[in-house]
Amino acid sequence: MSTNAADPLVALGGLPGVPDAVDSVRKAVDRVYGHRVMRRRSNEITSEAALRGARGSAALSGADWALEEVRRRTDFGSEPEARTVGAALRLAAEAGQLLSIWRQSPLRVLARLHLVAAADSGDAVGRPRQGGESVDEPLIELPLSDADEVAGRLDGLSRLIIAGGSAPALVTAAIVHGELLALRPFTSHNGLVARTAERIVLIGSGLDPKAVCPSETGHAELGRAAYAAALDGYVSGTPQGMAAWITHCGKAVELGARESTAVCEALQRGAA
């Protein structure tokens, strides 16, 4: 990702298909926020969205549990899949606590997210990986950047976030997500961290301030194959590839919005 332009994310927002994706996402989000249930039960929708988003993120990291299984379980420290679901749930709970820090110190937030996901005190937790350290991220099969490139690109991403700009929230969220997946800066849990960072951008930007449009749910619904193919487009660095990734992320947000709209409808029927 180039960081030479004054606001490179603005240019990405003008890629073919991206303005339409931005507009479509805004309309989908507005539909949820305009639902009558949101006026009196928005906290319930936010809680349900967090649960469903965590389930979706865990599914993309290899723990594809039914929603009701995630809802009823209390033990997440046993087998690997349970630990993945537990990590996703902890990240969903933590994301809202980090919004005020994100724009001032995004690298601090990313380190905190990894610490929360790993739930460990090992030497590699909460910091970017160092030279020679391996990465446990079996579902992302891209060549690994070396530690120096990771450090340089994380710094560039941090400077872009701190500088702000006028790029649409969808574009910024997609680039943060794609960059973290491509780099895999930590020794583990990079997918979970990347998807949580995307949600932090969407919430903190004001696009989804009540956190009721879980993009992770949409990414899971679109499927791992489509996710990996879109990420390949991002990694290619071509305008077409970047546009495909941003558009894919837009579809995920729309599907998350649709999920919460369905929750609103179910609550409305129950109150009738």
mmCIF file of all heavy atoms in Angstrom, residues 140-180:
data_model
loop_
_atom_site.group_PDB
_atom_site.id
_atom_site.type_symbol
_atom_site.label_atom_id
_atom_site.label_comp_id
_atom_site.label_asym_id
_atom_site.label_seq_id
_atom_site.Cartn_x
_atom_site.Cartn_y
_atom_site.Cartn_z
ATOM 1 N N ILE A 140 -4.946 -18.690 5.810
ATOM 2 C CA ILE A 140 -4.430 -17.650 4.919
ATOM 3 C C ILE A 140 -3.131 -18.169 4.331
ATOM 4 O O ILE A 140 -2.120 -18.298 5.016
ATOM 5 C CB ILE A 140 -4.172 -16.326 5.670
ATOM 6 C CG1 ILE A 140 -5.437 -15.846 6.366
ATOM 7 C CG2 ILE A 140 -3.646 -15.260 4.706
ATOM 8 C CD1 ILE A 140 -6.558 -15.463 5.433
ATOM 9 N N GLU A 141 -3.150 -18.504 3.048
ATOM 10 C CA GLU A 141 -2.005 -19.169 2.422
ATOM 11 C C GLU A 141 -1.263 -18.218 1.490
ATOM 12 O O GLU A 141 -1.088 -18.479 0.306
ATOM 13 C CB GLU A 141 -2.480 -20.408 1.673
ATOM 14 C CG GLU A 141 -3.153 -21.443 2.582
ATOM 15 C CD GLU A 141 -3.678 -22.636 1.817
ATOM 16 O OE1 GLU A 141 -3.638 -22.598 0.560
ATOM 17 O OE2 GLU A 141 -4.126 -23.604 2.462
ATOM 18 N N LEU A 142 -0.796 -17.106 2.052
ATOM 19 C CA LEU A 142 -0.025 -16.142 1.282
ATOM 20 C C LEU A 142 1.412 -16.159 1.777
ATOM 21 O O LEU A 142 1.670 -16.470 2.938
ATOM 22 C CB LEU A 142 -0.603 -14.732 1.464
ATOM 23 C CG LEU A 142 -2.006 -14.489 0.926
ATOM 24 C CD1 LEU A 142 -2.518 -13.132 1.395
ATOM 25 C CD2 LEU A 142 -2.011 -14.557 -0.585
ATOM 26 N N PRO A 143 2.371 -15.814 0.912
ATOM 27 C CA PRO A 143 3.758 -15.710 1.386
ATOM 28 C C PRO A 143 3.859 -14.690 2.512
ATOM 29 O O PRO A 143 3.194 -13.659 2.490
ATOM 30 C CB PRO A 143 4.525 -15.249 0.134
ATOM 31 C CG PRO A 143 3.661 -15.650 -1.022
ATOM 32 C CD PRO A 143 2.251 -15.540 -0.536
ATOM 33 N N LEU A 144 4.705 -14.987 3.480
ATOM 34 C CA LEU A 144 4.868 -14.094 4.623
ATOM 35 C C LEU A 144 5.883 -12.996 4.331
ATOM 36 O O LEU A 144 6.965 -13.267 3.807
ATOM 37 C CB LEU A 144 5.361 -14.882 5.843
ATOM 38 C CG LEU A 144 4.324 -15.538 6.748
ATOM 39 C CD1 LEU A 144 5.033 -16.293 7.851
ATOM 40 C CD2 LEU A 144 3.364 -14.517 7.324
ATOM 41 N N SER A 145 5.532 -11.768 4.660
ATOM 42 C CA SER A 145 6.497 -10.677 4.617
ATOM 43 C C SER A 145 7.478 -10.843 5.769
ATOM 44 O O SER A 145 7.138 -11.401 6.814
ATOM 45 C CB SER A 145 5.788 -9.332 4.757
ATOM 46 O OG SER A 145 4.816 -9.166 3.743
ATOM 47 N N ASP A 146 8.713 -10.339 5.577
ATOM 48 C CA ASP A 146 9.663 -10.433 6.681
ATOM 49 C C ASP A 146 9.349 -9.371 7.730
ATOM 50 O O ASP A 146 8.533 -8.470 7.513
ATOM 51 C CB ASP A 146 11.110 -10.327 6.186
ATOM 52 C CG ASP A 146 11.447 -8.992 5.528
ATOM 53 O OD1 ASP A 146 10.891 -7.959 5.944
ATOM 54 O OD2 ASP A 146 12.272 -9.001 4.602
ATOM 55 N N ALA A 147 10.000 -9.493 8.871
ATOM 56 C CA ALA A 147 9.679 -8.638 10.011
ATOM 57 C C ALA A 147 9.921 -7.160 9.708
ATOM 58 O O ALA A 147 9.160 -6.298 10.171
ATOM 59 C CB ALA A 147 10.496 -9.074 11.232
ATOM 60 N N ASP A 148 10.955 -6.855 8.933
ATOM 61 C CA ASP A 148 11.241 -5.447 8.619
ATOM 62 C C ASP A 148 10.131 -4.847 7.757
ATOM 63 O O ASP A 148 9.716 -3.698 7.968
ATOM 64 C CB ASP A 148 12.584 -5.320 7.889
ATOM 65 C CG ASP A 148 13.760 -5.566 8.811
ATOM 66 O OD1 ASP A 148 13.580 -5.475 10.042
ATOM 67 O OD2 ASP A 148 14.872 -5.857 8.310
ATOM 68 N N GLU A 149 9.644 -5.612 6.778
ATOM 69 C CA GLU A 149 8.549 -5.108 5.941
ATOM 70 C C GLU A 149 7.283 -4.938 6.764
ATOM 71 O O GLU A 149 6.553 -3.949 6.600
ATOM 72 C CB GLU A 149 8.284 -6.050 4.768
ATOM 73 C CG GLU A 149 7.186 -5.526 3.848
ATOM 74 C CD GLU A 149 6.892 -6.423 2.653
ATOM 75 O OE1 GLU A 149 7.588 -7.434 2.488
ATOM 76 O OE2 GLU A 149 5.964 -6.094 1.896
ATOM 77 N N VAL A 150 7.024 -5.879 7.656
ATOM 78 C CA VAL A 150 5.855 -5.769 8.541
ATOM 79 C C VAL A 150 5.922 -4.480 9.343
ATOM 80 O O VAL A 150 4.951 -3.713 9.405
ATOM 81 C CB VAL A 150 5.769 -6.984 9.482
ATOM 82 C CG1 VAL A 150 4.733 -6.740 10.578
ATOM 83 C CG2 VAL A 150 5.406 -8.243 8.704
ATOM 84 N N ALA A 151 7.076 -4.209 9.937
ATOM 85 C CA ALA A 151 7.223 -3.006 10.759
ATOM 86 C C ALA A 151 7.011 -1.748 9.930
ATOM 87 O O ALA A 151 6.329 -0.807 10.364
ATOM 88 C CB ALA A 151 8.602 -2.990 11.410
ATOM 89 N N GLY A 152 7.578 -1.709 8.721
ATOM 90 C CA GLY A 152 7.446 -0.526 7.875
ATOM 91 C C GLY A 152 6.015 -0.288 7.422
ATOM 92 O O GLY A 152 5.535 0.852 7.441
ATOM 93 N N ARG A 153 5.329 -1.359 7.046
ATOM 94 C CA ARG A 153 3.959 -1.199 6.565
ATOM 95 C C ARG A 153 2.985 -0.902 7.701
ATOM 96 O O ARG A 153 2.022 -0.150 7.523
ATOM 97 C CB ARG A 153 3.534 -2.427 5.764
ATOM 98 C CG ARG A 153 4.224 -2.476 4.402
ATOM 99 C CD ARG A 153 3.959 -3.748 3.635
ATOM 100 N NE ARG A 153 2.560 -3.933 3.281
ATOM 101 C CZ ARG A 153 2.121 -4.948 2.523
ATOM 102 N NH1 ARG A 153 2.994 -5.837 2.034
ATOM 103 N NH2 ARG A 153 0.839 -5.065 2.244
ATOM 104 N N LEU A 154 3.234 -1.467 8.868
ATOM 105 C CA LEU A 154 2.407 -1.114 10.022
ATOM 106 C C LEU A 154 2.567 0.361 10.363
ATOM 107 O O LEU A 154 1.595 1.047 10.685
ATOM 108 C CB LEU A 154 2.782 -1.967 11.233
ATOM 109 C CG LEU A 154 2.236 -3.383 11.296
ATOM 110 C CD1 LEU A 154 2.754 -4.086 12.543
ATOM 111 C CD2 LEU A 154 0.712 -3.421 11.263
ATOM 112 N N ASP A 155 3.783 0.851 10.269
ATOM 113 C CA ASP A 155 4.014 2.266 10.537
ATOM 114 C C ASP A 155 3.280 3.136 9.522
ATOM 115 O O ASP A 155 2.668 4.149 9.878
ATOM 116 C CB ASP A 155 5.515 2.570 10.497
ATOM 117 C CG ASP A 155 5.814 4.034 10.783
ATOM 118 O OD1 ASP A 155 5.558 4.475 11.915
ATOM 119 O OD2 ASP A 155 6.296 4.739 9.870
ATOM 120 N N GLY A 156 3.324 2.741 8.253
ATOM 121 C CA GLY A 156 2.606 3.488 7.227
ATOM 122 C C GLY A 156 1.106 3.468 7.452
ATOM 123 O O GLY A 156 0.428 4.497 7.305
ATOM 124 N N LEU A 157 0.581 2.312 7.822
ATOM 125 C CA LEU A 157 -0.853 2.203 8.102
ATOM 126 C C LEU A 157 -1.223 3.078 9.301
ATOM 127 O O LEU A 157 -2.239 3.789 9.275
ATOM 128 C CB LEU A 157 -1.205 0.741 8.387
ATOM 129 C CG LEU A 157 -2.685 0.420 8.614
ATOM 130 C CD1 LEU A 157 -3.499 0.694 7.362
ATOM 131 C CD2 LEU A 157 -2.851 -1.036 9.058
ATOM 132 N N SER A 158 -0.402 3.048 10.320
ATOM 133 C CA SER A 158 -0.654 3.866 11.503
ATOM 134 C C SER A 158 -0.689 5.348 11.156
ATOM 135 O O SER A 158 -1.581 6.084 11.612
ATOM 136 C CB SER A 158 0.425 3.596 12.557
ATOM 137 O OG SER A 158 0.267 4.427 13.669
ATOM 138 N N ARG A 159 0.254 5.796 10.340
ATOM 139 C CA ARG A 159 0.305 7.212 9.987
ATOM 140 C C ARG A 159 -0.924 7.625 9.180
ATOM 141 O O ARG A 159 -1.452 8.732 9.352
ATOM 142 C CB ARG A 159 1.592 7.514 9.217
ATOM 143 C CG ARG A 159 2.825 7.553 10.142
ATOM 144 C CD ARG A 159 4.078 8.037 9.437
ATOM 145 N NE ARG A 159 4.674 6.987 8.628
ATOM 146 C CZ ARG A 159 4.701 6.954 7.303
ATOM 147 N NH1 ARG A 159 4.121 7.928 6.614
ATOM 148 N NH2 ARG A 159 5.264 5.967 6.656
ATOM 149 N N LEU A 160 -1.405 6.750 8.322
ATOM 150 C CA LEU A 160 -2.620 7.046 7.560
ATOM 151 C C LEU A 160 -3.824 7.213 8.482
ATOM 152 O O LEU A 160 -4.638 8.128 8.312
ATOM 153 C CB LEU A 160 -2.901 5.931 6.565
ATOM 154 C CG LEU A 160 -2.186 5.982 5.211
ATOM 155 C CD1 LEU A 160 -2.528 4.753 4.405
ATOM 156 C CD2 LEU A 160 -2.555 7.243 4.449
ATOM 157 N N ILE A 161 -3.939 6.329 9.455
ATOM 158 C CA ILE A 161 -5.080 6.382 10.363
ATOM 159 C C ILE A 161 -5.026 7.638 11.224
ATOM 160 O O ILE A 161 -6.028 8.341 11.403
ATOM 161 C CB ILE A 161 -5.121 5.116 11.240
ATOM 162 C CG1 ILE A 161 -5.406 3.888 10.365
ATOM 163 C CG2 ILE A 161 -6.181 5.248 12.330
ATOM 164 C CD1 ILE A 161 -5.110 2.577 11.042
ATOM 165 N N ILE A 162 -3.854 7.941 11.753
ATOM 166 C CA ILE A 162 -3.708 9.105 12.618
ATOM 167 C C ILE A 162 -3.952 10.398 11.841
ATOM 168 O O ILE A 162 -4.571 11.340 12.348
ATOM 169 C CB ILE A 162 -2.306 9.114 13.264
ATOM 170 C CG1 ILE A 162 -2.181 7.951 14.259
ATOM 171 C CG2 ILE A 162 -2.041 10.438 13.973
ATOM 172 C CD1 ILE A 162 -0.780 7.710 14.760
ATOM 173 N N ALA A 163 -3.497 10.425 10.583
ATOM 174 C CA ALA A 163 -3.684 11.627 9.763
ATOM 175 C C ALA A 163 -5.147 11.858 9.430
ATOM 176 O O ALA A 163 -5.580 12.982 9.173
ATOM 177 C CB ALA A 163 -2.871 11.519 8.479
ATOM 178 N N GLY A 164 -5.939 10.802 9.440
ATOM 179 C CA GLY A 164 -7.347 10.935 9.075
ATOM 180 C C GLY A 164 -7.492 11.170 7.584
ATOM 181 O O GLY A 164 -6.692 10.708 6.779
ATOM 182 N N GLY A 165 -8.492 11.903 7.191
ATOM 183 C CA GLY A 165 -8.722 12.152 5.773
ATOM 184 C C GLY A 165 -10.194 12.057 5.446
ATOM 185 O O GLY A 165 -11.035 11.854 6.331
ATOM 186 N N SER A 166 -10.492 12.196 4.176
ATOM 187 C CA SER A 166 -11.886 12.247 3.746
ATOM 188 C C SER A 166 -12.336 10.989 3.017
ATOM 189 O O SER A 166 -13.394 10.986 2.393
ATOM 190 C CB SER A 166 -12.089 13.458 2.827
ATOM 191 O OG SER A 166 -11.199 13.394 1.717
ATOM 192 N N ALA A 167 -11.555 9.927 3.094
ATOM 193 C CA ALA A 167 -11.951 8.684 2.428
ATOM 194 C C ALA A 167 -13.193 8.101 3.091
ATOM 195 O O ALA A 167 -13.379 8.229 4.307
ATOM 196 C CB ALA A 167 -10.813 7.674 2.474
ATOM 197 N N PRO A 168 -14.057 7.443 2.327
ATOM 198 C CA PRO A 168 -15.231 6.800 2.928
ATOM 199 C C PRO A 168 -14.810 5.763 3.966
ATOM 200 O O PRO A 168 -13.761 5.127 3.853
ATOM 201 C CB PRO A 168 -15.915 6.129 1.727
ATOM 202 C CG PRO A 168 -15.420 6.882 0.535
ATOM 203 C CD PRO A 168 -14.025 7.290 0.858
ATOM 204 N N ALA A 169 -15.647 5.585 4.974
ATOM 205 C CA ALA A 169 -15.349 4.632 6.046
ATOM 206 C C ALA A 169 -15.136 3.225 5.501
ATOM 207 O O ALA A 169 -14.256 2.497 5.981
ATOM 208 C CB ALA A 169 -16.498 4.632 7.057
ATOM 209 N N LEU A 170 -15.938 2.830 4.515
ATOM 210 C CA LEU A 170 -15.788 1.496 3.949
ATOM 211 C C LEU A 170 -14.390 1.296 3.389
ATOM 212 O O LEU A 170 -13.770 0.243 3.587
ATOM 213 C CB LEU A 170 -16.829 1.259 2.850
ATOM 214 C CG LEU A 170 -16.635 -0.026 2.028
ATOM 215 C CD1 LEU A 170 -16.778 -1.257 2.908
ATOM 216 C CD2 LEU A 170 -17.609 -0.068 0.856
ATOM 217 N N VAL A 171 -13.863 2.294 2.686
ATOM 218 C CA VAL A 171 -12.539 2.179 2.088
ATOM 219 C C VAL A 171 -11.473 2.033 3.163
ATOM 220 O O VAL A 171 -10.610 1.149 3.105
ATOM 221 C CB VAL A 171 -12.244 3.392 1.181
ATOM 222 C CG1 VAL A 171 -10.799 3.365 0.687
ATOM 223 C CG2 VAL A 171 -13.205 3.409 -0.002
ATOM 224 N N THR A 172 -11.523 2.893 4.175
ATOM 225 C CA THR A 172 -10.538 2.818 5.253
ATOM 226 C C THR A 172 -10.616 1.480 5.967
ATOM 227 O O THR A 172 -9.588 0.840 6.242
ATOM 228 C CB THR A 172 -10.761 3.960 6.260
ATOM 229 O OG1 THR A 172 -10.724 5.207 5.571
ATOM 230 C CG2 THR A 172 -9.698 3.947 7.338
ATOM 231 N N ALA A 173 -11.828 1.018 6.284
ATOM 232 C CA ALA A 173 -12.004 -0.251 6.985
ATOM 233 C C ALA A 173 -11.466 -1.411 6.157
ATOM 234 O O ALA A 173 -10.794 -2.320 6.684
ATOM 235 C CB ALA A 173 -13.481 -0.467 7.303
ATOM 236 N N ALA A 174 -11.744 -1.398 4.861
ATOM 237 C CA ALA A 174 -11.280 -2.482 3.996
ATOM 238 C C ALA A 174 -9.763 -2.512 3.889
ATOM 239 O O ALA A 174 -9.148 -3.585 3.887
ATOM 240 C CB ALA A 174 -11.903 -2.341 2.606
ATOM 241 N N ILE A 175 -9.134 -1.349 3.818
ATOM 242 C CA ILE A 175 -7.678 -1.298 3.710
ATOM 243 C C ILE A 175 -7.026 -1.759 5.006
ATOM 244 O O ILE A 175 -6.042 -2.514 4.999
ATOM 245 C CB ILE A 175 -7.205 0.114 3.320
ATOM 246 C CG1 ILE A 175 -7.741 0.487 1.938
ATOM 247 C CG2 ILE A 175 -5.688 0.208 3.345
ATOM 248 C CD1 ILE A 175 -7.464 -0.526 0.840
ATOM 249 N N VAL A 176 -7.544 -1.327 6.148
ATOM 250 C CA VAL A 176 -7.022 -1.799 7.428
ATOM 251 C C VAL A 176 -7.130 -3.317 7.515
ATOM 252 O O VAL A 176 -6.166 -4.019 7.876
ATOM 253 C CB VAL A 176 -7.776 -1.122 8.593
ATOM 254 C CG1 VAL A 176 -7.473 -1.816 9.918
ATOM 255 C CG2 VAL A 176 -7.403 0.355 8.675
ATOM 256 N N HIS A 177 -8.288 -3.837 7.174
ATOM 257 C CA HIS A 177 -8.537 -5.281 7.203
ATOM 258 C C HIS A 177 -7.587 -6.014 6.259
ATOM 259 O O HIS A 177 -6.899 -6.966 6.657
ATOM 260 C CB HIS A 177 -10.000 -5.511 6.803
ATOM 261 C CG HIS A 177 -10.460 -6.924 6.884
ATOM 262 N ND1 HIS A 177 -11.787 -7.269 6.704
ATOM 263 C CD2 HIS A 177 -9.813 -8.096 7.089
ATOM 264 C CE1 HIS A 177 -11.922 -8.569 6.814
ATOM 265 N NE2 HIS A 177 -10.736 -9.104 7.044
ATOM 266 N N GLY A 178 -7.514 -5.563 5.013
ATOM 267 C CA GLY A 178 -6.680 -6.232 4.022
ATOM 268 C C GLY A 178 -5.205 -6.182 4.364
ATOM 269 O O GLY A 178 -4.474 -7.172 4.197
ATOM 270 N N GLU A 179 -4.745 -5.029 4.843
ATOM 271 C CA GLU A 179 -3.331 -4.880 5.182
ATOM 272 C C GLU A 179 -2.938 -5.813 6.320
ATOM 273 O O GLU A 179 -1.882 -6.453 6.285
ATOM 274 C CB GLU A 179 -3.041 -3.419 5.536
ATOM 275 C CG GLU A 179 -1.572 -3.073 5.593
ATOM 276 C CD GLU A 179 -0.892 -2.988 4.235
ATOM 277 O OE1 GLU A 179 -1.524 -3.333 3.208
ATOM 278 O OE2 GLU A 179 0.279 -2.585 4.209
ATOM 279 N N LEU A 180 -3.786 -5.928 7.323
ATOM 280 C CA LEU A 180 -3.469 -6.798 8.448
ATOM 281 C C LEU A 180 -3.510 -8.271 8.049
ATOM 282 O O LEU A 180 -2.683 -9.071 8.524
ATOM 283 C CB LEU A 180 -4.430 -6.535 9.609
ATOM 284 C CG LEU A 180 -4.278 -5.155 10.262
ATOM 285 C CD1 LEU A 180 -5.376 -4.936 11.300
ATOM 286 C CD2 LEU A 180 -2.902 -4.993 10.903
#
